[in-house]
Amino acid sequence: MTTRRQTAESFIFVKEELLKLRYLPQRSDAFQVSSHADALHPDRVVYTEGADYTVDYENGWIGRIAGSRIPDWSKHALYGVSDFNHTLYEDYSNRNYTVYAEYSYVSGQEAGEAAQAAGSGGPDILKRTASKLQAGEEALYVVYGDSISTGGEASADKFTYFHRFAEHLKRLYPGGSIRIVNKSIGGEATGGGAGRVEEDVLPLKPDLITIGYGMNDQNKYEHGNGTSLMDFERYLRRMIEAIRDHAGSDIVLVTPCSPNPLWRHTSGQTRDYAAVIRRLGAEYGLGVADVYMVWERELAAGKTPESLLLNNINHPNDYGHYLYYLAFAEMLASQPAEQ
C-alpha cells in the first residue's frame, strides 16, 4: 500500500448535491479544487474549502456549498433534459462547469484488481517498440481513430491519452525516443479507417499503432447504428490484417468510452462494440487497452457521465483522457504515472 496523488479528478456539481470521490482522501495532505487540470493555466481559479466546497474525509464525499464560486450545473441548458439533440443548443458543452480536485490517497488492493479487469496483452505485446527503445532508437507511434484519438477536448497535448501513453513507454524503456504521428479524423467510423489505412498508415511503417474506433460506429440513427456490429468487425479485420501483413507494426486496439446515455444518438450498445474489439485482440494476439472497462468502473464508483465528458456527449475531458491512458498502463500490467 502506497500513498498516491490524484491531481485532476473531474467533477460537475449540481446545486449542493454530494458527489463521491474516486478514492478516500487523506486529511493530512492539502486538498485542492480548481478550475483547470493544468496547474500552470493562466486562468486557473483555486477554490476555497469551507467557502466553495466541503469534503467528508471519513466517507469520501465532496459537495458544492451554496453561494460558491464553483459553477452550478443546474444552470446548464441541458439540466433535466433527456434524449437531447445537441444541435438544437448553442452551447451544450460542460467546459464552463468542470472543476478538478487534487488530493492524496492510499492505494490498496483495488489497483491489482483493476490490472486484471481493464486490458490484455502484458509487457511483451510491444516487442518491436520495446526493442527499438531499449536500443536507444526512435520508435514511430501512429495514432489512428476518431475525434477522441485526435485529442478531442483535452486542454493541452500533454493531457491527451496518446501523449501520456508515449511518456509511459519512455519511462518503461528509457534511452530511446518516440515520435508521434496522428492520423486520426474527427467524426470517422471504422469504414473510413479501413478505407484509408493503405494510404495513410502503411507507407509510414510505424513501430506502434493504436486503433481507436467504436464511438461513431455505435451512434444510433433512424436507419440503425452508424456501423452494424458485423461491418464493424469486418472493417477492423481489414485494418488489422493490412497493418500486420505489410507493416509488421505492434498493434494495440482501444475500446471506446461510454457516451452520455441521455444523448439522442447513444445506442446503448457500446459494450457490444467493445466486446468485438476484445475478441479480435485475443484472436490476433494483440494488445487491448480496454477503456470501456475502466470507464464503467469509474461510473460504478460514483462518477457521473457529465463529470467525465467535456462536450457532454462523447469526448473525454482531461481526466477522461487519463482514464484512457490508465487502460494502456493496465494492459501492460505496469504502474500508471500520477496525473
Side-chain angles (χ1 to χ4, degrees):
M1 296 179 66
T2 58
T3 299
R4 291 179 58 81
R5 191 77 175 164
Q6 182 86 321
T7 59
E9 181 178 342
S10 51
F11 294 89
I12 293 284
F13 289 105
V14 178
K15 301 179 182 179
E16 289 76 60
E17 296 176 9
L18 295 177
L19 293 176
K20 193 72 175 175
L21 290 158
R22 186 63 181 85
Y23 303 101
L24 193 65
Q26 288 188 306
R27 186 186 292 272
S28 58
D29 289 86
F31 193 108
Q32 189 176 88
V33 175
S34 64
S35 59
H36 292 78
D38 190 346
L40 301 178
H41 196 285
D43 298 325
R44 184 173 185 251
V45 176
V46 177
Y47 301 105
T48 303
E49 184 174 354
D52 294 308
Y53 64 94
T54 183
V55 180
D56 180 345
Y57 288 92
E58 284 70 31
N59 299 298
W61 293 90
I62 184 172
R64 178 183 176 276
I65 293 176
S68 170
R69 293 176 296 162
I70 295 174
D72 176 5
W73 201 78
S74 71
K75 310 298 183 183
H76 194 287
L78 289 175
Y79 175 65
V81 180
S82 60
D83 191 35
F84 68 85
N85 180 353
H86 67 286
T87 64
L88 301 180
Y89 296 85
E90 182 177 350
D91 183 9
Y92 49 87
S93 170
N94 289 328
R95 185 178 302 278
N96 295 328
Y97 293 87
T98 304
V99 298
Y100 298 88
E102 177 179 347
Y103 58 93
S104 294
Y105 66 96
V106 177
S107 63
Q109 183 61 34
E110 77 279 353
E113 294 172 353
Q116 297 176 2
S120 61
D124 295 333
I125 205 70
L126 305 179
K127 290 184 178 180
R128 175 168 162 174
T129 306
S131 176
K132 277 205 164 184
L133 295 176
Q134 288 172 330
E137 301 175 7
E138 179 185 80
L140 175 61
Y141 169 23
V142 169
V143 187
Y144 203 56
D146 53 30
S147 56
I148 297 173
S149 293
T150 68
E153 305 299 336
S155 64
D157 286 346
K158 65 182 179 181
F159 291 124
T160 61
Y161 79 79
F162 45 87
H163 273 278
R164 293 179 188 268
F165 178 42
E167 291 300 313
H168 186 87
L169 290 176
K170 287 192 286 186
R171 284 190 296 272
L172 289 178
Y173 308 106
S177 62
I178 298 178
R179 180 164 61 96
I180 298 174
V181 175
N182 200 314
K183 287 293 185 177
S184 304
I185 295 179
E188 188 172 72
T190 47
R196 63 186 178 91
V197 66
E198 292 185 357
E199 179 179 352
D200 282 5
V201 175
L202 300 190
L204 298 174
K205 299 187 184 302
D207 301 297
L208 168 65
I209 181 169
T210 55
I211 302 176
Y213 287 100
M215 182 60 75
N216 298 317
D217 298 274
Q218 69 80 42
N219 284 351
K220 177 184 65 177
Y221 302 102
E222 292 183 1
H223 67 274
N225 290 3
T227 308
S228 69
L229 284 168
M230 181 180 298
D231 284 341
F232 181 69
E233 178 174 338
R234 179 166 59 90
Y235 291 139
L236 279 177
R237 284 186 184 277
R238 186 183 302 173
M239 284 184 265
I240 292 168
E241 292 177 2
I243 296 166
R244 180 196 61 183
D245 295 344
H246 299 283
S249 312
D250 295 329
I251 302 173
V252 174
L253 306 180
V254 187
T255 64
C257 68
S258 298
N260 191 329
L262 300 179
W263 182 43
R264 175 162 298 180
H265 298 298
T266 298
S267 67
Q269 292 183 276
T270 309
R271 69 174 63 188
D272 299 324
Y273 289 83
V276 169
I277 294 170
R278 290 189 206 101
R279 178 162 51 77
L280 291 180
E283 178 181 334
Y284 287 98
L286 307 177
V288 176
D290 202 342
V291 175
Y292 178 80
M293 290 294 289
V294 173
W295 203 269
E296 290 299 303
R297 195 171 68 208
E298 293 288 312
L299 295 174
K303 302 303 294 183
T304 64
E306 293 78 12
S307 291
L308 300 177
L309 299 167
L310 199 69
N311 70 346
N312 203 34
I313 297 173
N314 54 11
H315 287 175
N317 57 29
D318 288 335
Y319 182 64
H321 272 275
Y322 176 77
L323 297 180
Y324 264 74
Y325 153 67
L326 193 60
F328 284 88
E330 293 181 4
M331 174 193 72
L332 297 175
S334 55
Q335 183 68 39
E338 295 182 359
Q339 298 184 68

